[in-house]
Amino acid sequence: MNYDAIVIGAGFSGLYALKRLRDDLGLTTHLYEQGSGVGGTWYWNKYPGAMSDTRSHLYCYSFDKELLQQDEFAQHYRLQPEIRNYLENFAKRYDLNKDISLKTEVAGAVWDGDAKLWRVELGDGSVVSARFVVSALGLLSRPNLPPIDGIESFAGEMIHTSRWPEGTTWKDKRVGIIGTGSTGVQVITAIAPDVKHLTVFQRSPQYSVPSGNGFMSEDYIRGIKENYDEIWSQEKETITVFGAKESHVSAHDVTPEERERVFEEAWNDGGGFRFMFGTFNDLITDEVANGYAQEFIRSKIRQVVKDPVKAETLCPKDLYAKRPLCDAGYFQQFNRENVDVVDVRANPIARLEGHSVILEGGETYELDMLILATGFDAGDGNYMRMKLQGEGGISIQEQWKNGARSYLGLMNANFPNLFMVNGPGVPFANQPPAIELQVDMLAELIKVTLDRDAAAIEAKESSEFEYVELCMELTKATILPKSKSWILGANIPGKPLSLNFYMGGYGRYKDILEDVRSKDYEAFSFQN
Ligand code: FAD
Ligand code: NA7
């Protein structure tokens, strides 16, 4: 089969790309998805407690005014089944399913420079072709399985949270969980009341604040819907578009009492992004300011957790510089008799054997079920296992050998007509609107290519170089490089620093795209 365009991945990104390319540009377009349903993140992550922590009214596409009015949400945050439904309904609304092949992995794509098209290899070995490819493989999609001895032969149930089988039960079981990131915090909070015993194997304690989730009044929801245009246009000028009013005040410019008041107010309002970006403007750029937030959250953990030994184990001492978390009563779970926390940074996991997790110190924990909330090989994880070859046969592994990078998160030099959504260097922001921005831009670039009667478009090396420098500079202006998290690919042992994000914010990224447009796309080269 030959298409004008092939899209890979059926999450927020791929579904919107299929709609834009097929319906708005009139291209014959087909989408391949390895899962057996659409939804991407929200198809895969069915673990208990899974939810978004972007405010409900902003965790959706913004372009479709009718859908915004019809959309149903009742709480401040959407739960996984609701988001999956939303995306399934989106696919139905635009009749996308007829152009989607599920259970179809794309194994690779090779640029044929003579024919000026991509030869796309599917999992069963068959080959299809297309002039344009949109790879919407996901930012947080490739599961990270920790390299723990004996992991393949663990005798109990073992589940990575992003591969949670429907119908799994944890009730009355002896459960262990490795990982206390956003996912771990959600799972622990959800299952603690029902398990027989829960052992939390914690390597890094977390700064988590209350989510403040709860039902919104009908009046409140009506108010949102009546003012959506204004809400979106205001939000799209912010850094994160997470619905948290961003602060313009330095933590250094207020008295200690005022700082405490501001933190307390944010703690009571709820929301991780609200706490990190809405209290003071320098928490992720200034270690001293960051320290004030750390101390505040530690004091809250010590107030909530009754057992002082558990409380100390749960108190983070690192920087508050991973993705900000929020929870529905995480620390409270450790007041239950049946919930323990084990510090596996001080005493690492040595191996799994039979039903047991065994620490280097020899302590043995026998379990019925082990949950791996160990996150993702973020950003380039899905790319690195594909055979993706651009101009002259250069592989993506070679292109990114010193770390994943790109121009605008959208294109790489040497890879003509290949567009990424959520490629390295996209804005660190609420995803659905950030995805729309990228997909709209790539659709625009395809249109420009077609209008110019060009066979292909490619990012210039110089554009990519300058953009990577900019991303690097912005990242270095933050304290993020000092924290080991997936944001820069530091959660995967041996992985080079990946510029997963542009740290200038959504609003400024939008301005960069406008600049590209105003300069008549000179950042790209066109082939005939
Ligand atoms: P995905 O939804 O990851 O979709 C990618 C798809 O590509 C997957 O279905 C995958 O199976 C498919 N795929 C990959 N490789 C191949 C291949 N070779 N062949 C075929 N198919 C392939 N973001 C926020 O902004 N706010 C939040 O609150 C938030 N919460 C999150 C909570 C969790 C638990 C997780 C994991 C992520 C969260 N995110 C959040 C990020 C979330 O990933 C994005 O918001 C968004 O869903 C990404 O959509 P996507 O389409 O780009 O990628
Ligand atoms: P994260 O945030 O990467 O968290 C993974 C957790 O797993 C984190 O606590 C890790 O500890 C821990 N981990 C990973 N490997 C190991 C090993 N080998 N031993 C012990 N502990 C380990 O992933 P999440 O799924 O929670 O969240 C990812 C994003 O998805 C999140 O930010 C949201 O955007 C949605 P570490 O911190 O590395 O010491």
Side-chain angles (χ1 to χ4, degrees):
M1 270 310 280
N2 181 45
Y3 299 100
D4 293 330
I6 283 176
V7 178
I8 315 168
F12 266 103
S13 301
L15 293 177
Y16 184 53
L18 172 57
K19 186 224 168 290
R20 289 288 276 123
L21 269 48
R22 187 194 69 180
D23 299 350
D24 303 340
L25 295 190
L27 303 180
T28 57
T29 308
H30 199 81
L31 185 153
Y32 295 99
E33 163 58 53
Q34 65 191 3
S36 54
V38 305
T41 292
W42 305 102
Y43 161 82
W44 291 107
N45 288 270
K46 304 183 190 95
Y47 61 82
M51 70 168 207
S52 150
D53 61 1
T54 300
R55 295 275 158 170
S56 295
H57 65 287
L58 300 173
Y59 199 69
C60 55
Y61 297 110
S62 66
F63 76 94
D64 184 333
K65 292 193 179 178
E66 196 181 83
L67 182 59
L68 286 171
Q69 293 303 320
Q70 289 170 359
D71 192 10
E72 287 180 11
F73 48 83
Q75 300 193 61
H76 290 298
Y77 302 107
R78 297 180 197 238
L79 306 178
Q80 175 268 334
E82 295 170 326
I83 308 170
R84 187 177 169 193
N85 271 343
Y86 171 86
L87 289 168
E88 282 174 350
N89 288 337
F90 181 81
K92 281 192 204 129
R93 176 177 176 81
Y94 287 104
D95 202 12
L96 301 179
N97 294 313
K98 66 176 190 228
D99 293 306
I100 297 178
S101 298
L102 297 172
K103 299 186 198 163
T104 310
E105 185 187 6
V106 171
V110 176
W111 175 247
D112 180 336
D114 297 327
K116 304 263 188 250
L117 48 78
W118 285 95
R119 305 217 179 268
V120 175
E121 192 185 322
L122 306 180
D124 64 2
S126 59
V127 176
V128 289
S129 58
R131 190 163 161 198
F132 301 100
V133 170
V134 176
S135 65
L137 309 184
L139 182 64
L140 292 154
S141 173
R142 176 96 187 131
N144 169 38
L145 296 178
I148 299 173
D149 276 357
I151 195 163
E152 38 330 285
S153 55
F154 181 68
E157 263 179 288
M158 187 167 68
I159 306 174
H160 188 279
T161 45
S162 73
R163 294 294 181 271
W164 194 270
E166 263 163 289
T168 304
T169 170
W170 51 92
K171 205 169 164 18
D172 298 327
K173 289 183 180 166
R174 295 167 304 169
V175 179
I177 180 164
I178 303 177
T180 50
S182 168
T183 302
V185 163
Q186 290 181 349
V187 179
I188 291 162
T189 310
I191 68 173
D194 299 324
V195 294
K196 183 171 180 189
H197 191 271
L198 181 61
T199 310
V200 177
F201 298 99
Q202 172 196 269
R203 187 165 68 185
S204 299
Q206 285 282 0
Y207 295 99
S208 185
V209 305
S211 67
N213 198 14
F215 288 90
M216 294 179 271
S217 70
E218 282 182 19
D219 277 354
Y220 188 83
I221 296 173
R222 196 174 313 112
I224 289 171
K225 292 195 172 179
E226 281 169 6
N227 293 294
Y228 244 134
D229 284 351
E230 201 185 324
I231 291 173
W232 276 119
S233 71
Q234 278 174 6
E235 280 295 330
K236 287 181 179 180
E237 294 308 319
T238 66
I239 299 172
T240 64
V241 201
F242 261 86
K245 194 163 176 286
E246 287 152 6
S247 170
H248 298 290
V249 178
S250 160
H252 295 289
D253 288 349
V254 297
T255 60
E257 294 73 27
E258 173 63 2
R259 244 186 340 252
E260 197 70 6
R261 189 198 64 74
V262 170
F263 283 141
E264 187 70 37
E265 189 176 81
W267 180 271
N268 292 329
D269 281 358
F273 281 80
R274 158 83 173 89
F275 197 90
M276 186 176 264
F277 293 95
T279 49
F280 298 103
N281 68 0
D282 45 4
L283 296 191
I284 66 155
T285 52
D286 181 305
E287 282 194 44
V288 177
N290 190 268
Y292 297 138
Q294 293 170 32
E295 197 42 56
F296 178 85
I297 299 176
R298 278 195 291 268
S299 73
K300 288 292 184 188
I301 298 172
R302 290 183 184 119
Q303 278 168 31
V304 171
V305 181
K306 305 278 179 279
D307 174 341
V309 178
K310 274 189 189 173
E312 249 359 82
T313 309
L314 289 162
C315 273
K317 313 288 184 310
D318 303 337
L319 289 171
Y320 173 43
K322 296 185 176 177
R323 183 195 187 279
L325 303 190
C326 59
D327 64 80
Y330 171 62
F331 294 110
Q332 285 81 347
Q333 304 312 315
F334 295 89
N335 290 331
R336 295 177 187 277
E337 295 260 302
N338 65 333
V339 180
D340 282 328
V341 56
V342 175
D343 180 353
V344 297
R345 186 183 283 179
N347 186 7
I349 298 172
R351 61 185 187 283
L352 306 185
E353 205 175 277
H355 279 82
S356 299
V357 174
I358 302 174
L359 305 190
E360 285 184 1
E363 297 84 344
T364 299
Y365 300 86
E366 202 175 291
L367 305 170
D368 302 310
M369 180 189 243
L370 179 60
I371 299 171
L372 303 176
T374 45
F376 301 90
D377 184 356
D380 62 358
N382 277 332
Y383 286 85
M384 290 315 216
R385 73 196 175 110
M386 275 175 84
K387 182 183 163 198
L388 199 53
Q389 289 179 351
E391 201 96 62
I394 185 168
S395 68
I396 196 71
Q397 291 78 5
E398 173 67 15
Q399 179 91 6
W400 287 349
K401 65 174 186 285
N402 296 321
R405 47 210 66 206
S406 78
Y407 180 51
L408 304 175
L410 283 176
M411 288 200 98
N412 270 275
N414 303 320
F415 288 78
N417 289 0
L418 178 84
F419 299 89
M420 297 176 289
V421 191
N422 274 333
V426 289
F428 182 70
N430 176 29
Q431 287 269 292
I435 286 167
E436 281 177 282
L437 197 56
Q438 297 165 62
V439 172
D440 289 345
M441 188 64 186
L442 74 85
E444 180 178 327
L445 293 172
I446 291 176
K447 182 159 187 322
V448 170
T449 310
L450 297 171
D451 288 350
R452 291 184 182 191
D453 274 334
I457 177 173
E458 186 183 338
K460 286 182 183 164
E461 298 257 9
S462 54
S463 317
E464 188 174 318
F465 179 81
E466 277 170 32
Y467 188 69
V468 169
E469 289 288 296
L470 172 66
C471 288
M472 193 73 87
E473 198 182 304
L474 290 166
T475 299
K476 280 187 182 155
T478 71
I479 57 173
L480 297 174
K482 295 186 177 170
S483 175
K484 280 182 104 182
S485 85
W486 62 265
I487 293 178
L488 291 168
N491 62 325
I492 303 296
K495 182 167 168 171
L497 178 135
S498 303
L499 282 175
N500 282 333
F501 293 107
Y502 163 80
M503 285 294 169
Y506 178 99
R508 279 167 67 190
Y509 178 82
K510 194 155 58 76
D511 294 343
I512 294 178
L513 299 187
E514 192 48 51
D515 192 50
V516 169
R517 212 167 273 135
S518 73
K519 292 188 175 138
D520 201 25
Y521 312 95
E522 66 178 24
F524 299 91
S525 57
F526 294 85
Q527 300 174 10
N528 290 311

